[in-house]
Amino acid sequence: MLKWQVIAVALLFVSVTANPEKQSLCKGFLPENDMLIPVSAMQVGGVTQSEFNAVLDKVETYYSPLIQSLGGRLAVNRDWNSATVNASANRSGSTYEINMYGGLARHPVMTRDGFMLVACHELGHHIGGAPKVRGWWTTWASNEGQSDYFATLRCMRFLLESEDNAKWVSENTVDPVLQQKCEETYQVQNEEFLCMRLGMAGFSGASLFHSMRQEATPIQFDTPDTSQVRRTSDEHPPTQCRLDTYYQGAICFHDLNQPLSDTDPSQGTCSEYRGQRDGLRPRCWFKP
């Protein structure tokens, strides 16, 4: 038995090192699923093709120079015609790839901001900082929970800060629990409105996860997941835990000029080490 285990490991090593330039992160924004939403489907809700491209244009314009400064190149692979309901990220040499599919954009619960959140999550696998996925076969990727946290902590915050967030709030429904917390956290009105918008984008993203899992228990801002992991999990957090993560990223009041670290999870984030109580990564996936 030991002999065959050694052979199996050797074969795995050969399969990975045969193409050392290609480093895939197999898990997508959603768990693997067989749902398909083709272009021909009758669309009720979801994101239009023009919104799909406008969001990805914004991501590409803002983050291409930053990734270039890191010695890489951002490739935003847009497949509007794909029926796949998911998104993913992979690294090919110095190319930082995110793969965005039309099937996900056309899902009925998806919003423009929710779609941006997904793109930011996938980008977060590349530049979201620690904690990273554990494993000798991949060292570049921030894990699932951290990529969720990065989406509202940094990515969407930068992409939306110059937009008319007051107008957005006036035209959209904001959860009252989220609204109150954002007003308590921030002193500048546009930052309050931006916080609300980030939180509702998180609700859209978590609602997609909730729908795909066909869960009966509703997700809410005032019912946080109270479970605590014994060690940081690299897997997709449970649905309520994901909403909690987006929410905490939105209410994290911190120094946006401090870069995130690939080794120190407390750098550039909200941390218990600094005595902060709000904006912390939830214990349902993160172990400080």
Side-chain angles (χ1 to χ4, degrees):
M1 180 64 72
L2 180 60
K3 174 183 177 182
W4 289 110
Q5 288 175 337
V6 171
I7 292 174
V9 171
L11 289 173
L12 177 62
F13 178 78
V14 169
S15 68
V16 172
T17 56
N19 186 8
E21 291 295 302
K22 188 77 168 180
Q23 300 181 47
S24 296
L25 184 69
C26 295
K27 295 182 175 68
F29 178 78
L30 299 167
E32 289 185 17
N33 66 84
D34 57 5
M35 177 179 280
L36 298 173
I37 306 179
V39 175
S40 60
M42 181 73 71
Q43 186 167 343
V44 179
V47 172
T48 66
Q49 186 174 9
S50 61
E51 290 173 323
F52 175 91
N53 284 315
V55 166
L56 297 180
D57 284 346
K58 200 172 186 74
V59 171
E60 200 165 16
T61 298
Y62 188 92
Y63 277 101
S64 287
L66 186 148
I67 289 176
Q68 187 174 9
S69 73
L70 299 175
R73 181 182 72 86
L74 175 61
V76 179
N77 300 322
R78 315 175 187 207
D79 195 347
W80 172 257
N81 292 324
S82 171
T84 300
V85 182
N86 219 328
S88 61
N90 56 270
R91 187 78 64 88
S92 298
S94 61
T95 302
Y96 296 40
E97 299 183 37
I98 65 171
N99 308 297
M100 306 299 296
Y101 304 111
L104 178 136
R106 289 185 287 273
H107 193 282
V109 306
M110 187 54 62
T111 64
R112 174 188 178 272
D113 285 359
F115 182 70
M116 182 181 289
L117 179 102
V118 176
C120 281
H121 168 97
E122 297 308 331
L123 187 64
H125 282 303
H126 292 289
I127 59 173
K132 299 280 190 173
V133 175
R134 291 181 296 267
W136 57 268
W137 61 91
T138 179
T139 58
W140 62 269
S142 298
N143 69 14
E144 297 293 344
Q146 180 62 20
S147 297
D148 280 342
Y149 190 54
F150 169 81
T152 52
L153 180 82
R154 292 292 177 98
C155 182
M156 288 193 71
R157 197 183 296 255
F158 292 144
L159 296 178
L160 296 177
E161 65 180 349
S162 62
E163 292 196 6
D164 190 344
N165 295 302
K167 183 174 185 291
W168 186 94
V169 169
S170 71
E171 295 175 347
N172 292 272
T173 300
V174 176
D175 185 277
V177 173
L178 171 67
Q179 179 176 346
Q180 181 178 346
K181 191 64 178 178
C182 289
E183 289 173 347
E184 290 174 356
T185 303
Y186 297 96
Q187 304 303 313
V188 178
Q189 197 168 58
N190 187 58
E191 291 178 352
E192 294 175 6
F193 293 145
L194 178 56
C195 171
M196 295 174 204
R197 190 170 178 180
L198 297 179
M200 293 311 297
F203 189 83
S204 175
S207 294
L208 175 63
F209 204 61
H210 185 270
S211 174
M212 295 295 289
R213 286 187 162 182
Q214 299 182 331
E215 295 172 332
T217 304
I219 53 172
Q220 300 178 104
F221 287 100
D222 59 352
T223 59
D225 188 328
T226 57
S227 64
Q228 295 191 19
V229 293
R230 294 185 176 181
R231 73 168 188 168
T232 296
S233 172
D234 291 336
E235 304 301 319
H236 289 113
T239 307
Q240 179 65 52
C241 186
R242 289 193 92 165
L243 176 60
D244 299 342
T245 304
Y246 299 133
Y247 178 38
Q248 294 303 316
I251 65 171
C252 177
F253 186 76
H254 66 294
D255 183 0
L256 293 171
N257 293 315
Q258 185 178 42
L260 299 176
S261 168
D262 285 339
T263 56
D264 180 4
S266 68
Q267 181 174 310
T269 68
C270 286
S271 170
E272 292 177 74
Y273 296 120
R274 286 187 290 276
Q276 293 168 295
R277 295 185 178 182
D278 290 330
L280 306 176
R281 299 173 183 85
R283 293 290 189 92
C284 45
W285 70 266
F286 180 68
K287 177 68 173 178

